[in-house]
Amino acid sequence: MSDVSRRPDDPDQSILGRMRSIPRWAGIGLFIYATIYTLSYAKSFFVPVILAFLLTMVFSPVRRVFARHGIPAPLTATFVVLGLLVASLGILGTLSLPVTGWIERAPEITAQIREKASDVSGALSGVFEAADRLRELARPGEDVERVTTSQGGYAFDLATLIPGMMAQIVLTLVLLFFLLASGDMFYEKLVHVIPRFSDKRRAMAVVQDIERKLSRYLFTITVINAALGTAVGAGMWLVGMPSPIVFGTIAFLFNFVPYLGALAGIAIAAAVALVSFDWVGWSLIVSAIYFAITTVEGQLVTPYFVGRNLRLNTVVVFLAVSFWAWLWSAVGMVVAVPLLAAARTIANHVDGMGGLADFLGERHSETVTDAHPEDPRSENLIP
């Protein structure tokens, strides 16, 4: 019997089929591995680029409003960049001295926390003692300890990070200036590069939808986080916590990271309260105040103002935040949700990816876009 007359379920044919599929899956795996490695290896380049594009989407509507009033794009870009630079320097100045002091006093603070915690729970004391023993076993020797101490300890490590952080901020702001000053050049190039008119309309619909949703989301979240920081700072001031402005700033920054940011802020406030007050109960009161404010924000304020169209699958959000935190540390946790929202918006517009869009959305969320590529409103290709 010839090969043509073999049945479709022939074992030889199924083996050959599996062998043909191996290179394709191997290529996909190699591509994913190469992408992750490249993003990790070149994060010093990709991090400011991603941040600059996200900030461009936030401030592009502002640029267009100013342009309708006769203000040129380069002047608007200058105002935006200078404002962000002043805000960044203000935040760094607010946090630098207290955080540096906390880091420098880390061994003393740890000892105080251990002493007070041992009065409350003997189990915690045992945990601290076990940690000390592990630290002693892992310590290579006294000479290494003296070298580390002579270089300045934690404060020295923090000082070495500041130049790199400033370089990242400067690169982000410079790229943001050029993106805003160029106006709608990106949209014009996108229209001219794509050959088919239907593809032009679809691409413009995707870009406009991403820009509209992300700008609305990031601007709204920034305002909500500013109000949250004000409320947390006021709450810390009412209970007599030291440096309430610092805790308000921490709440503002940390709340850009879903779930983990609030937990980290509560832990920091509880630790500082445990050291600052004689009564251990104040630590629980401070934690409860911080938790109550963030709960109201997370369960009532943010869902009401952000809207359902950008509310994502909570499990996917947590996994995305964890992945990008592993890849790009703190900045990765900040950009995880905007990138996830952009991916869901793209999936909404691409045929055959509705299932992915529905998976990325929260329960009972709809995958219908606000402006379909065939909608007459998308005929104006350049916004």
Side-chain angles (χ1 to χ4, degrees):
M1 185 179 295
S2 63
D3 294 339
V4 180
S5 61
R6 288 183 178 179
R7 293 178 300 174
D9 56 345
D10 194 312
D12 294 337
Q13 289 190 0
S14 61
I15 293 174
L16 291 175
R18 287 196 297 268
M19 292 180 63
R20 292 192 191 99
S21 65
I22 290 176
R24 180 169 62 90
W25 288 108
I28 294 175
L30 289 175
F31 174 78
I32 294 175
Y33 175 79
T35 301
I36 295 176
Y37 177 80
T38 303
L39 291 174
S40 177
Y41 180 78
K43 64 180 180 180
S44 299
F45 169 77
F46 284 113
V47 165
V49 170
I50 295 296
L51 287 177
F53 273 98
L54 290 177
L55 290 173
T56 301
M57 292 183 178
V58 174
F59 290 103
S60 288
V62 177
R63 173 185 57 78
R64 294 193 184 98
V65 171
F66 285 1
R68 286 194 289 267
H69 290 80
I71 300 177
L75 186 58
T76 303
T78 302
F79 288 149
V80 170
V81 170
L82 288 178
L84 290 177
L85 179 61
V86 171
S88 301
L89 294 177
I91 291 174
L92 290 177
T94 302
L95 296 178
S96 59
L97 291 178
V99 172
T100 302
W102 293 345
I103 293 176
E104 189 65 28
R105 295 177 53 215
E108 178 185 351
I109 293 174
T110 303
Q112 294 180 11
I113 294 175
R114 178 173 52 189
E115 179 181 356
K116 292 186 177 182
S118 62
D119 298 335
V120 178
S121 175
L124 288 178
S125 179
V127 171
F128 282 117
E129 291 177 2
D132 287 340
R133 292 178 183 176
L134 290 176
R135 194 180 302 112
E136 291 176 359
L137 292 175
R139 186 177 299 167
E142 297 297 331
D143 295 336
V144 177
E145 184 181 3
R146 276 198 298 270
V147 172
T148 305
T149 304
S150 64
Q151 289 181 341
Y154 297 108
F156 176 80
D157 295 337
L158 181 63
T160 57
L161 293 176
I162 292 178
M165 293 173 56
M166 294 302 300
Q168 297 280 314
I169 292 174
V170 170
L171 180 58
T172 301
L173 294 180
V174 170
L175 181 57
L176 174 63
F177 172 81
F178 285 112
L179 289 173
L180 289 177
S182 62
D184 290 321
M185 183 183 66
F186 175 79
Y187 297 100
E188 296 172 359
K189 297 296 183 181
L190 182 64
V191 169
H192 289 297
V193 167
I194 300 176
R196 297 174 54 186
F197 182 76
S198 59
D199 294 336
K200 295 177 189 286
R201 297 174 62 183
R202 181 181 294 272
M204 288 307 305
V206 171
V207 173
Q208 291 175 13
D209 199 13
I210 292 176
E211 180 185 281
R212 182 174 64 254
K213 289 182 177 180
L214 288 188
S215 63
R216 186 184 306 164
Y217 168 76
L218 292 174
F219 181 78
T220 305
I221 287 297
T222 301
V223 174
I224 292 175
N225 290 351
L228 175 71
T230 303
V232 170
M236 299 299 104
W237 175 77
L238 288 175
V239 296
M241 284 283 287
S243 305
I245 297 178
V246 174
F247 287 101
T249 306
I250 290 175
F252 167 75
L253 294 176
F254 282 21
N255 206 55
F256 282 100
V257 180
Y259 313 125
L260 301 179
L263 294 177
I266 292 173
I268 293 175
V272 174
L274 193 62
V275 175
S276 302
F277 300 107
D278 295 332
W279 183 44
V280 180
W282 280 111
S283 178
L284 299 177
I285 295 175
V286 169
S287 303
I289 292 174
Y290 201 119
F291 177 76
I293 296 174
T294 54
T295 300
V296 171
E297 175 270 330
Q299 300 298 323
L300 299 178
V301 179
T302 298
Y304 178 80
F305 286 100
V306 170
R308 182 171 292 274
N309 59 344
L310 272 180
R311 292 165 67 179
L312 303 169
N313 187 328
T314 55
V315 177
V316 176
V317 169
F318 182 80
L319 293 176
V321 171
S322 302
F323 171 78
W324 287 103
W326 167 74
L327 197 64
W328 286 350
S329 64
V331 179
M333 292 188 288
V334 174
V335 303
V337 174
L339 292 178
L340 195 62
R344 181 169 183 258
T345 303
I346 294 174
N348 273 332
H349 285 272
V350 176
D351 296 335
M353 297 185 68
L356 176 62
D358 184 65
F359 177 77
L360 295 179
E362 68 169 5
R363 182 177 297 178
H364 305 307
S365 63
E366 298 179 357
T367 59
V368 180
T369 57
D370 294 337
H372 192 272
E374 303 301 327
D375 196 305
R377 291 177 294 176
S378 62
E379 291 181 358
N380 185 13
L381 298 180
I382 304 300

mmCIF file of all heavy atoms in Angstrom, residues 149-188:
data_model
loop_
_atom_site.group_PDB
_atom_site.id
_atom_site.type_symbol
_atom_site.label_atom_id
_atom_site.label_comp_id
_atom_site.label_asym_id
_atom_site.label_seq_id
_atom_site.Cartn_x
_atom_site.Cartn_y
_atom_site.Cartn_z
ATOM 1 N N THR A 149 32.164 47.983 56.553
ATOM 2 C CA THR A 149 31.914 49.093 57.448
ATOM 3 C C THR A 149 32.713 50.317 57.058
ATOM 4 O O THR A 149 32.225 51.446 57.122
ATOM 5 C CB THR A 149 32.259 48.681 58.891
ATOM 6 O OG1 THR A 149 31.513 47.517 59.223
ATOM 7 C CG2 THR A 149 31.927 49.788 59.867
ATOM 8 N N SER A 150 33.943 50.101 56.611
ATOM 9 C CA SER A 150 34.773 51.238 56.248
ATOM 10 C C SER A 150 34.258 51.952 55.022
ATOM 11 O O SER A 150 34.520 53.134 54.824
ATOM 12 C CB SER A 150 36.210 50.761 55.997
ATOM 13 O OG SER A 150 36.237 49.875 54.881
ATOM 14 N N GLN A 151 33.495 51.278 54.165
ATOM 15 C CA GLN A 151 32.970 51.920 52.976
ATOM 16 C C GLN A 151 31.669 52.656 53.220
ATOM 17 O O GLN A 151 31.147 53.301 52.324
ATOM 18 C CB GLN A 151 32.730 50.865 51.881
ATOM 19 C CG GLN A 151 34.027 50.320 51.301
ATOM 20 C CD GLN A 151 33.755 49.300 50.225
ATOM 21 O OE1 GLN A 151 32.655 48.750 50.136
ATOM 22 N NE2 GLN A 151 34.742 49.032 49.397
ATOM 23 N N GLY A 152 31.113 52.576 54.403
ATOM 24 C CA GLY A 152 29.942 53.371 54.692
ATOM 25 C C GLY A 152 28.677 52.583 54.892
ATOM 26 O O GLY A 152 27.641 53.149 55.174
ATOM 27 N N GLY A 153 28.711 51.267 54.708
ATOM 28 C CA GLY A 153 27.537 50.448 54.976
ATOM 29 C C GLY A 153 26.384 50.743 54.037
ATOM 30 O O GLY A 153 26.553 50.960 52.838
ATOM 31 N N TYR A 154 25.180 50.771 54.621
ATOM 32 C CA TYR A 154 23.968 50.965 53.815
ATOM 33 C C TYR A 154 23.951 52.341 53.153
ATOM 34 O O TYR A 154 23.474 52.481 52.018
ATOM 35 C CB TYR A 154 22.736 50.794 54.706
ATOM 36 C CG TYR A 154 22.588 49.419 55.292
ATOM 37 C CD1 TYR A 154 22.819 49.195 56.645
ATOM 38 C CD2 TYR A 154 22.215 48.348 54.495
ATOM 39 C CE1 TYR A 154 22.679 47.924 57.193
ATOM 40 C CE2 TYR A 154 22.074 47.080 55.026
ATOM 41 C CZ TYR A 154 22.309 46.877 56.380
ATOM 42 O OH TYR A 154 22.173 45.626 56.909
ATOM 43 N N ALA A 155 24.421 53.352 53.854
ATOM 44 C CA ALA A 155 24.419 54.700 53.282
ATOM 45 C C ALA A 155 25.292 54.764 52.045
ATOM 46 O O ALA A 155 24.961 55.442 51.064
ATOM 47 C CB ALA A 155 24.885 55.718 54.325
ATOM 48 N N PHE A 156 26.433 54.045 52.071
ATOM 49 C CA PHE A 156 27.309 54.021 50.901
ATOM 50 C C PHE A 156 26.613 53.355 49.716
ATOM 51 O O PHE A 156 26.708 53.827 48.579
ATOM 52 C CB PHE A 156 28.605 53.287 51.239
ATOM 53 C CG PHE A 156 29.539 53.137 50.070
ATOM 54 C CD1 PHE A 156 30.352 54.185 49.673
ATOM 55 C CD2 PHE A 156 29.596 51.939 49.368
ATOM 56 C CE1 PHE A 156 31.205 54.043 48.590
ATOM 57 C CE2 PHE A 156 30.446 51.791 48.285
ATOM 58 C CZ PHE A 156 31.258 52.844 47.894
ATOM 59 N N ASP A 157 25.911 52.254 49.977
ATOM 60 C CA ASP A 157 25.175 51.582 48.902
ATOM 61 C C ASP A 157 24.099 52.490 48.313
ATOM 62 O O ASP A 157 23.889 52.519 47.096
ATOM 63 C CB ASP A 157 24.533 50.293 49.432
ATOM 64 C CG ASP A 157 25.583 49.272 49.854
ATOM 65 O OD1 ASP A 157 26.718 49.359 49.352
ATOM 66 O OD2 ASP A 157 25.263 48.415 50.698
ATOM 67 N N LEU A 158 23.405 53.239 49.185
ATOM 68 C CA LEU A 158 22.392 54.157 48.695
ATOM 69 C C LEU A 158 23.007 55.279 47.871
ATOM 70 O O LEU A 158 22.456 55.686 46.836
ATOM 71 C CB LEU A 158 21.604 54.742 49.871
ATOM 72 C CG LEU A 158 20.484 55.720 49.531
ATOM 73 C CD1 LEU A 158 19.408 55.012 48.704
ATOM 74 C CD2 LEU A 158 19.881 56.315 50.786
ATOM 75 N N ALA A 159 24.170 55.778 48.317
ATOM 76 C CA ALA A 159 24.823 56.864 47.587
ATOM 77 C C ALA A 159 25.270 56.417 46.200
ATOM 78 O O ALA A 159 25.251 57.203 45.245
ATOM 79 C CB ALA A 159 26.021 57.389 48.379
ATOM 80 N N THR A 160 25.660 55.151 46.064
ATOM 81 C CA THR A 160 26.071 54.661 44.749
ATOM 82 C C THR A 160 24.888 54.479 43.797
ATOM 83 O O THR A 160 25.079 54.467 42.577
ATOM 84 C CB THR A 160 26.808 53.317 44.899
ATOM 85 O OG1 THR A 160 25.955 52.380 45.576
ATOM 86 C CG2 THR A 160 28.092 53.496 45.694
ATOM 87 N N LEU A 161 23.678 54.348 44.346
ATOM 88 C CA LEU A 161 22.503 54.180 43.488
ATOM 89 C C LEU A 161 21.963 55.502 42.971
ATOM 90 O O LEU A 161 21.307 55.543 41.922
ATOM 91 C CB LEU A 161 21.398 53.442 44.251
ATOM 92 C CG LEU A 161 21.666 51.986 44.611
ATOM 93 C CD1 LEU A 161 20.508 51.444 45.451
ATOM 94 C CD2 LEU A 161 21.850 51.135 43.367
ATOM 95 N N ILE A 162 22.205 56.596 43.694
ATOM 96 C CA ILE A 162 21.607 57.878 43.324
ATOM 97 C C ILE A 162 22.047 58.359 41.951
ATOM 98 O O ILE A 162 21.207 58.807 41.149
ATOM 99 C CB ILE A 162 21.902 58.921 44.416
ATOM 100 C CG1 ILE A 162 21.132 58.559 45.696
ATOM 101 C CG2 ILE A 162 21.529 60.322 43.950
ATOM 102 C CD1 ILE A 162 21.388 59.499 46.845
ATOM 103 N N PRO A 163 23.356 58.311 41.579
ATOM 104 C CA PRO A 163 23.722 58.769 40.220
ATOM 105 C C PRO A 163 23.007 57.997 39.121
ATOM 106 O O PRO A 163 22.574 58.590 38.117
ATOM 107 C CB PRO A 163 25.242 58.541 40.187
ATOM 108 C CG PRO A 163 25.672 58.589 41.605
ATOM 109 C CD PRO A 163 24.548 57.973 42.377
ATOM 110 N N GLY A 164 22.884 56.682 39.279
ATOM 111 C CA GLY A 164 22.166 55.908 38.270
ATOM 112 C C GLY A 164 20.702 56.290 38.185
ATOM 113 O O GLY A 164 20.133 56.381 37.081
ATOM 114 N N MET A 165 20.061 56.534 39.318
ATOM 115 C CA MET A 165 18.663 56.956 39.318
ATOM 116 C C MET A 165 18.508 58.306 38.631
ATOM 117 O O MET A 165 17.577 58.510 37.838
ATOM 118 C CB MET A 165 18.150 57.023 40.748
ATOM 119 C CG MET A 165 18.061 55.681 41.456
ATOM 120 S SD MET A 165 17.639 55.834 43.209
ATOM 121 C CE MET A 165 16.101 56.748 43.105
ATOM 122 N N MET A 166 19.412 59.238 38.908
ATOM 123 C CA MET A 166 19.326 60.551 38.278
ATOM 124 C C MET A 166 19.532 60.447 36.767
ATOM 125 O O MET A 166 18.871 61.145 35.988
ATOM 126 C CB MET A 166 20.360 61.493 38.889
ATOM 127 C CG MET A 166 20.109 61.838 40.353
ATOM 128 S SD MET A 166 18.476 62.599 40.606
ATOM 129 C CE MET A 166 18.622 64.052 39.571
ATOM 130 N N ALA A 167 20.448 59.571 36.338
ATOM 131 C CA ALA A 167 20.657 59.388 34.901
ATOM 132 C C ALA A 167 19.405 58.834 34.233
ATOM 133 O O ALA A 167 19.036 59.262 33.128
ATOM 134 C CB ALA A 167 21.845 58.454 34.672
ATOM 135 N N GLN A 168 18.720 57.893 34.895
ATOM 136 C CA GLN A 168 17.480 57.346 34.349
ATOM 137 C C GLN A 168 16.404 58.420 34.249
ATOM 138 O O GLN A 168 15.676 58.499 33.246
ATOM 139 C CB GLN A 168 16.988 56.199 35.236
ATOM 140 C CG GLN A 168 17.922 55.009 35.301
ATOM 141 C CD GLN A 168 17.789 54.106 34.093
ATOM 142 O OE1 GLN A 168 16.693 53.769 33.675
ATOM 143 N NE2 GLN A 168 18.909 53.740 33.525
ATOM 144 N N ILE A 169 16.312 59.259 35.273
ATOM 145 C CA ILE A 169 15.312 60.332 35.267
ATOM 146 C C ILE A 169 15.597 61.323 34.149
ATOM 147 O O ILE A 169 14.689 61.741 33.407
ATOM 148 C CB ILE A 169 15.276 61.037 36.635
ATOM 149 C CG1 ILE A 169 14.726 60.085 37.700
ATOM 150 C CG2 ILE A 169 14.415 62.294 36.576
ATOM 151 C CD1 ILE A 169 14.784 60.647 39.112
ATOM 152 N N VAL A 170 16.864 61.705 33.990
ATOM 153 C CA VAL A 170 17.224 62.674 32.948
ATOM 154 C C VAL A 170 16.939 62.102 31.559
ATOM 155 O O VAL A 170 16.374 62.785 30.683
ATOM 156 C CB VAL A 170 18.706 63.071 33.087
ATOM 157 C CG1 VAL A 170 19.161 63.884 31.876
ATOM 158 C CG2 VAL A 170 18.914 63.887 34.361
ATOM 159 N N LEU A 171 17.316 60.845 31.328
ATOM 160 C CA LEU A 171 17.062 60.220 30.030
ATOM 161 C C LEU A 171 15.564 60.138 29.744
ATOM 162 O O LEU A 171 15.118 60.395 28.611
ATOM 163 C CB LEU A 171 17.695 58.832 29.985
ATOM 164 C CG LEU A 171 17.524 58.040 28.677
ATOM 165 C CD1 LEU A 171 18.098 58.826 27.508
ATOM 166 C CD2 LEU A 171 18.211 56.681 28.786
ATOM 167 N N THR A 172 14.778 59.801 30.753
ATOM 168 C CA THR A 172 13.329 59.741 30.574
ATOM 169 C C THR A 172 12.753 61.104 30.211
ATOM 170 O O THR A 172 11.939 61.225 29.283
ATOM 171 C CB THR A 172 12.659 59.224 31.857
ATOM 172 O OG1 THR A 172 13.159 57.924 32.160
ATOM 173 C CG2 THR A 172 11.150 59.151 31.690
ATOM 174 N N LEU A 173 13.174 62.137 30.911
ATOM 175 C CA LEU A 173 12.635 63.476 30.662
ATOM 176 C C LEU A 173 13.084 64.014 29.306
ATOM 177 O O LEU A 173 12.306 64.694 28.616
ATOM 178 C CB LEU A 173 13.069 64.420 31.779
ATOM 179 C CG LEU A 173 12.489 64.113 33.171
ATOM 180 C CD1 LEU A 173 12.993 65.108 34.198
ATOM 181 C CD2 LEU A 173 10.964 64.120 33.137
ATOM 182 N N VAL A 174 14.327 63.741 28.904
ATOM 183 C CA VAL A 174 14.791 64.209 27.588
ATOM 184 C C VAL A 174 13.999 63.539 26.472
ATOM 185 O O VAL A 174 13.551 64.198 25.516
ATOM 186 C CB VAL A 174 16.303 63.938 27.438
ATOM 187 C CG1 VAL A 174 16.750 64.195 25.999
ATOM 188 C CG2 VAL A 174 17.095 64.830 28.387
ATOM 189 N N LEU A 175 13.818 62.225 26.561
ATOM 190 C CA LEU A 175 13.033 61.526 25.542
ATOM 191 C C LEU A 175 11.584 61.988 25.561
ATOM 192 O O LEU A 175 10.953 62.138 24.498
ATOM 193 C CB LEU A 175 13.114 60.017 25.779
ATOM 194 C CG LEU A 175 12.365 59.124 24.784
ATOM 195 C CD1 LEU A 175 12.841 59.383 23.368
ATOM 196 C CD2 LEU A 175 12.537 57.652 25.152
ATOM 197 N N LEU A 176 11.034 62.243 26.740
ATOM 198 C CA LEU A 176 9.668 62.757 26.839
ATOM 199 C C LEU A 176 9.549 64.110 26.152
ATOM 200 O O LEU A 176 8.546 64.381 25.465
ATOM 201 C CB LEU A 176 9.271 62.880 28.307
ATOM 202 C CG LEU A 176 7.924 63.548 28.605
ATOM 203 C CD1 LEU A 176 6.774 62.739 28.018
ATOM 204 C CD2 LEU A 176 7.734 63.731 30.108
ATOM 205 N N PHE A 177 10.550 64.957 26.312
ATOM 206 C CA PHE A 177 10.519 66.270 25.658
ATOM 207 C C PHE A 177 10.448 66.123 24.142
ATOM 208 O O PHE A 177 9.629 66.781 23.477
ATOM 209 C CB PHE A 177 11.751 67.081 26.058
ATOM 210 C CG PHE A 177 11.897 68.364 25.288
ATOM 211 C CD1 PHE A 177 11.173 69.486 25.655
ATOM 212 C CD2 PHE A 177 12.741 68.445 24.195
ATOM 213 C CE1 PHE A 177 11.290 70.672 24.947
ATOM 214 C CE2 PHE A 177 12.862 69.622 23.477
ATOM 215 C CZ PHE A 177 12.137 70.739 23.855
ATOM 216 N N PHE A 178 11.283 65.271 23.567
ATOM 217 C CA PHE A 178 11.283 65.104 22.116
ATOM 218 C C PHE A 178 9.977 64.482 21.622
ATOM 219 O O PHE A 178 9.479 64.855 20.552
ATOM 220 C CB PHE A 178 12.474 64.252 21.682
ATOM 221 C CG PHE A 178 13.788 64.981 21.721
ATOM 222 C CD1 PHE A 178 14.756 64.624 22.632
ATOM 223 C CD2 PHE A 178 14.051 66.029 20.862
ATOM 224 C CE1 PHE A 178 15.968 65.288 22.693
ATOM 225 C CE2 PHE A 178 15.255 66.709 20.906
ATOM 226 C CZ PHE A 178 16.223 66.342 21.831
ATOM 227 N N LEU A 179 9.417 63.543 22.384
ATOM 228 C CA LEU A 179 8.158 62.924 21.961
ATOM 229 C C LEU A 179 7.015 63.936 21.985
ATOM 230 O O LEU A 179 6.181 63.962 21.070
ATOM 231 C CB LEU A 179 7.842 61.737 22.862
ATOM 232 C CG LEU A 179 8.725 60.500 22.687
ATOM 233 C CD1 LEU A 179 8.407 59.466 23.768
ATOM 234 C CD2 LEU A 179 8.543 59.888 21.312
ATOM 235 N N LEU A 180 6.951 64.752 23.032
ATOM 236 C CA LEU A 180 5.889 65.757 23.102
ATOM 237 C C LEU A 180 6.114 66.885 22.104
ATOM 238 O O LEU A 180 5.163 67.388 21.497
ATOM 239 C CB LEU A 180 5.804 66.323 24.521
ATOM 240 C CG LEU A 180 5.243 65.396 25.603
ATOM 241 C CD1 LEU A 180 5.293 66.076 26.962
ATOM 242 C CD2 LEU A 180 3.809 64.986 25.282
ATOM 243 N N ALA A 181 7.358 67.311 21.939
ATOM 244 C CA ALA A 181 7.647 68.417 21.027
ATOM 245 C C ALA A 181 7.397 68.038 19.575
ATOM 246 O O ALA A 181 7.128 68.921 18.738
ATOM 247 C CB ALA A 181 9.094 68.875 21.203
ATOM 248 N N SER A 182 7.478 66.739 19.245
ATOM 249 C CA SER A 182 7.247 66.315 17.865
ATOM 250 C C SER A 182 5.776 66.306 17.494
ATOM 251 O O SER A 182 5.432 66.085 16.329
ATOM 252 C CB SER A 182 7.839 64.918 17.651
ATOM 253 O OG SER A 182 7.194 63.974 18.484
ATOM 254 N N GLY A 183 4.884 66.529 18.439
ATOM 255 C CA GLY A 183 3.456 66.578 18.137
ATOM 256 C C GLY A 183 2.918 65.214 17.731
ATOM 257 O O GLY A 183 3.174 64.202 18.385
ATOM 258 N N ASP A 184 2.189 65.188 16.615
ATOM 259 C CA ASP A 184 1.577 63.952 16.122
ATOM 260 C C ASP A 184 2.418 63.302 15.031
ATOM 261 O O ASP A 184 1.881 62.601 14.165
ATOM 262 C CB ASP A 184 0.174 64.244 15.581
ATOM 263 C CG ASP A 184 -0.808 64.600 16.684
ATOM 264 O OD1 ASP A 184 -0.730 63.976 17.754
ATOM 265 O OD2 ASP A 184 -1.632 65.511 16.478
ATOM 266 N N MET A 185 3.720 63.541 15.050
ATOM 267 C CA MET A 185 4.589 62.953 14.026
ATOM 268 C C MET A 185 4.525 61.424 14.053
ATOM 269 O O MET A 185 4.569 60.770 13.011
ATOM 270 C CB MET A 185 6.025 63.419 14.229
ATOM 271 C CG MET A 185 6.995 62.911 13.153
ATOM 272 S SD MET A 185 8.714 63.405 13.463
ATOM 273 C CE MET A 185 9.054 62.478 14.963
ATOM 274 N N PHE A 186 4.407 60.837 15.249
ATOM 275 C CA PHE A 186 4.338 59.382 15.343
ATOM 276 C C PHE A 186 3.113 58.858 14.599
ATOM 277 O O PHE A 186 3.197 57.859 13.865
ATOM 278 C CB PHE A 186 4.292 58.968 16.811
ATOM 279 C CG PHE A 186 4.100 57.495 17.017
ATOM 280 C CD1 PHE A 186 5.158 56.623 16.876
ATOM 281 C CD2 PHE A 186 2.847 56.986 17.338
ATOM 282 C CE1 PHE A 186 4.980 55.255 17.071
ATOM 283 C CE2 PHE A 186 2.665 55.633 17.535
ATOM 284 C CZ PHE A 186 3.738 54.767 17.393
ATOM 285 N N TYR A 187 1.977 59.514 14.762
ATOM 286 C CA TYR A 187 0.760 59.079 14.066
ATOM 287 C C TYR A 187 0.904 59.257 12.557
ATOM 288 O O TYR A 187 0.459 58.407 11.773
ATOM 289 C CB TYR A 187 -0.439 59.871 14.570
ATOM 290 C CG TYR A 187 -0.738 59.650 16.031
ATOM 291 C CD1 TYR A 187 -0.320 60.571 16.983
ATOM 292 C CD2 TYR A 187 -1.423 58.526 16.462
ATOM 293 C CE1 TYR A 187 -0.594 60.380 18.329
ATOM 294 C CE2 TYR A 187 -1.698 58.320 17.807
ATOM 295 C CZ TYR A 187 -1.267 59.259 18.732
ATOM 296 O OH TYR A 187 -1.521 59.065 20.057
ATOM 297 N N GLU A 188 1.511 60.351 12.137
ATOM 298 C CA GLU A 188 1.695 60.589 10.702
ATOM 299 C C GLU A 188 2.593 59.526 10.077
ATOM 300 O O GLU A 188 2.306 59.019 8.983
ATOM 301 C CB GLU A 188 2.281 61.979 10.491
ATOM 302 C CG GLU A 188 1.359 63.112 10.932
ATOM 303 C CD GLU A 188 2.050 64.457 10.888
ATOM 304 O OE1 GLU A 188 3.253 64.486 10.530
ATOM 305 O OE2 GLU A 188 1.403 65.468 11.210
#
